[in-house]
Amino acid sequence: MKVYIYSSGSVDAQKLIFGYSDKGDLLHYFSDYFDTAVGLKIEKQSYEKIAKAINVSASDILFVSDNVNEIKAAQAAGYQVGVSKRPGNEELVGYDEASRSMPIDGKTVQVVTSFDQFFTNVSIDEKSTLAERREHRHMQERSSFYTPKYAEFLSRTGNFSIIESTLREGEQFANAFFDTETKIKIAKMLDEFGVEYIELTSPAASEQSRADCEAICKLGLKAKILTHTRCHMDDARIAVETGVHGLDVVIGTSSFLREFSHGKDMEYIAKQATEVINFIKSKGLEVRFSSEDSFRSDLVDLLNLYRHVDKLGVNRVGIADTVGCANPRQVYELVRTLRSVVKCDIECHFHNDTGCAIANAYA
C-alpha cells in the first residue's frame, strides 16, 4: 500500500515535519507529497490531478480528512473517502456514534479515530486464512481497553507472514531425523494450519533431501514451498529443478565467518550474490537473500550488500541472529535502519540461545 500526503502546507514544509518527527525520519513511508500547487483542497479537479499524477484509478484511492468540504471534493472525483474525527475539532453534523458514520452528499461515510477502524468490519469464518484471522485478532486487540490508545507508527505486527522451517531447522538438532512419510505428514499439517511458506532442507544436502523436496512440491499444497541453500550456483542449479516456488539463499557476512568459514571478502560475496540471484530470477522463482550472522556483521558492509541485492530485485532480504546474541533493541534498530535502505520485504530469523527469540520477533 502506498501513502501520499496532500496538505495546505508546502511540500518542503511537509518534508521537514515528517523528516524530523518525534519518531525520527519518516519520509520513506510516503510515496509522494502534494500541496496547493495542484489546486485547492476543496476543488474536485485537484483530486483528479493527483490521481493522474500517481497513475491510480480514483476508485482505488482512499482519501481521509477531518474537513468535510475536502471529503466532498474527493468524493466527487470518485475517491473512496473516510472522515477523521480528531479531538478538539467541532462536532460532526449528522455523525452517528453507533455506526461510526455520517452522511455526506447523500452517501454514508465511515468516521474513524484510527486507521485500524477501516478494517474492523471484516467477517471471519472457519475457512478464513491464517492471515485474515491474524488481522482480525490484531484489530480486536487494538480496540482492547488494555492496549495503547495510539499504535506505534513503525509497528508492523499486524502485517507479516510465517516462513515455517521445521522441515529444515527441525532436522538440525542432535539425533533428529524425518523420513519421507513424516516430512509429508508435517508439511500437510503446516499447510492445514495456514502458514504462508514452508521451508525445506537444501536438496543439495543429499539425494534423499532432493527426493523429499520434489515429493513435497508435488503435493499441491496451498503454502508456497521454499528451500534454503547456500549462495552458490551449484546449489541453485539443483534447487530450481525440484519444483519449489522459491529459494532462500544465504552466505556468512560477519568477520568471523568470512575468516573461518568460506574465506571470501564482501566484494566476492556481492559478485556471487549477483550471479545466483539473477539465475534464480531467470527461472521465474522467488528469491530471498540473507546474510548469516547478521548481528556480528559490520553494519556498513551489511547495508551496502542489502542495497545491492534489493536493486537486483529480490523478493526479501533476511537478517539472521545465527548465534543467538541479539536483543530486542538491536533487532528494532537494525530492522528500522534496513527499512530505510531497501524497498523489498524484510525477513527475520532468530535463535533462542538467550531466551530472546520471541521478544526479538515482536521487536
Side-chain angles (χ1 to χ4, degrees):
M1 179 179 71
K2 294 184 177 180
V3 180
Y4 300 86
I5 300 295
Y6 180 27
S7 173
S8 300
S10 69
V11 169
D12 288 341
Q14 295 173 41
K15 290 182 177 180
L16 283 173
I17 291 171
F18 291 108
Y20 297 92
S21 77
D22 59 356
K23 297 294 185 181
D25 184 357
L26 306 179
L27 294 179
H28 54 279
Y29 285 96
F30 303 106
S31 297
D32 209 346
Y33 308 83
F34 297 92
D35 55 24
T36 50
V38 300
L40 298 178
K41 297 182 72 180
I42 57 173
E43 295 178 341
K44 169 187 173 183
Q45 294 83 354
S46 303
Y47 299 90
E48 292 173 338
K49 289 178 181 178
I50 291 174
K52 184 176 181 180
I54 64 177
N55 195 29
V56 176
S57 172
S59 61
D60 292 329
I61 301 173
L62 172 64
F63 176 74
V64 183
S65 173
D66 63 349
N67 187 309
V68 172
N69 289 322
E70 295 174 4
I71 294 290
K72 289 180 178 181
Q75 190 170 258
Y79 283 34
Q80 300 180 59
V81 294
V83 178
S84 172
K85 189 174 186 292
R86 300 173 65 182
N89 283 12
E90 294 182 3
E91 289 298 316
L92 297 169
V93 178
Y95 172 60
D96 179 62
E97 182 73 36
S99 64
R100 290 182 179 176
S101 64
M102 64 180 291
I104 297 180
D105 284 350
K107 295 182 178 180
T108 300
V109 176
Q110 187 173 0
V111 179
V112 301
T113 56
S114 165
F115 283 106
D116 290 347
Q117 294 167 0
F118 282 115
F119 310 101
T120 55
N121 294 324
V122 179
S123 62
I124 300 295
D125 57 34
E126 293 180 357
K127 295 183 179 179
S128 299
T129 66
L130 177 66
E132 290 170 337
R133 295 197 299 271
R134 185 187 302 124
E135 180 67 15
H136 182 67
R137 182 174 66 252
H138 172 68
M139 295 308 171
Q140 288 179 320
E141 291 170 351
R142 292 294 303 121
S143 62
S144 167
F145 176 81
Y146 297 100
T147 52
K149 184 175 181 181
Y150 301 107
E152 159 63 52
F153 185 83
L154 294 172
S155 175
R156 293 294 182 269
T157 55
N159 179 24
F160 62 92
S161 296
I162 295 175
I163 299 176
E164 219 292 335
S165 60
T166 297
L167 293 176
R168 178 188 68 86
E169 195 83 50
E171 287 194 307
Q172 293 183 358
F173 62 89
N175 300 320
F177 173 73
F178 299 140
D179 59 23
T180 303
E181 183 180 354
T182 302
K183 288 182 180 180
I184 289 175
K185 182 178 180 180
I186 292 173
K188 288 180 176 179
M189 291 173 67
L190 292 172
D191 189 56
E192 184 178 354
F193 180 76
V195 300
E196 290 88 349
Y197 293 92
I198 297 173
E199 186 181 65
L200 308 180
T201 296
S202 170
S206 68
E207 283 299 320
Q208 188 59 55
S209 295
R210 179 173 183 169
D212 291 342
C213 187
E214 292 174 346
I216 291 173
C217 288
K218 292 176 182 177
L219 294 176
L221 304 178
K222 296 187 292 294
K224 289 186 176 181
I225 308 301
L226 307 174
T227 185
H228 185 88
T229 69
R230 297 176 302 170
C231 186
H232 194 286
M233 283 300 297
D234 290 346
D235 290 21
R237 290 191 184 97
I238 293 171
V240 298
E241 299 298 327
T242 61
V244 293
H245 295 94
L247 276 67
D248 290 345
V249 299
V250 63
I251 191 167
T253 51
S254 70
S255 59
F256 303 100
L257 294 184
R258 284 190 282 130
E259 181 177 356
F260 300 110
S261 177
H262 53 70
K264 308 299 182 183
D265 59 20
M266 293 303 296
E267 183 178 353
Y268 176 91
I269 290 172
K271 183 178 179 181
Q272 181 87 343
T274 300
E275 183 181 13
V276 173
I277 290 167
N278 285 338
F279 172 72
I280 297 169
K281 284 174 58 65
S282 73
K283 301 298 182 178
L285 302 180
E286 284 191 21
V287 56
R288 178 223 65 187
F289 177 86
S290 179
S291 59
E292 186 179 7
D293 203 10
S294 308
F295 290 90
R296 296 195 299 172
S297 299
D298 179 83
L299 181 60
V300 174
D301 285 343
L302 205 60
L303 296 180
N304 282 334
L305 181 60
Y306 283 136
R307 182 185 289 113
H308 173 70
V309 299
D310 183 45
K311 290 179 179 179
L312 294 176
V314 297
N315 298 85
R316 298 179 301 282
V317 292
I319 59 174
D321 183 22
T322 306
V323 298
C325 65
N327 63 51
R329 189 65 200 180
Q330 288 175 298
V331 173
Y332 176 89
E333 293 294 346
L334 179 55
V335 174
R336 187 175 186 271
T337 303
L338 182 56
R339 180 72 284 165
S340 68
V341 172
V342 300
K343 295 180 180 179
C344 63
D345 287 340
I346 299 173
E347 176 184 327
C348 298
H349 178 83
F350 301 115
H351 286 195
N352 203 38
D353 301 61
T354 59
C356 287
I358 293 176
N360 285 341
Y362 189 82

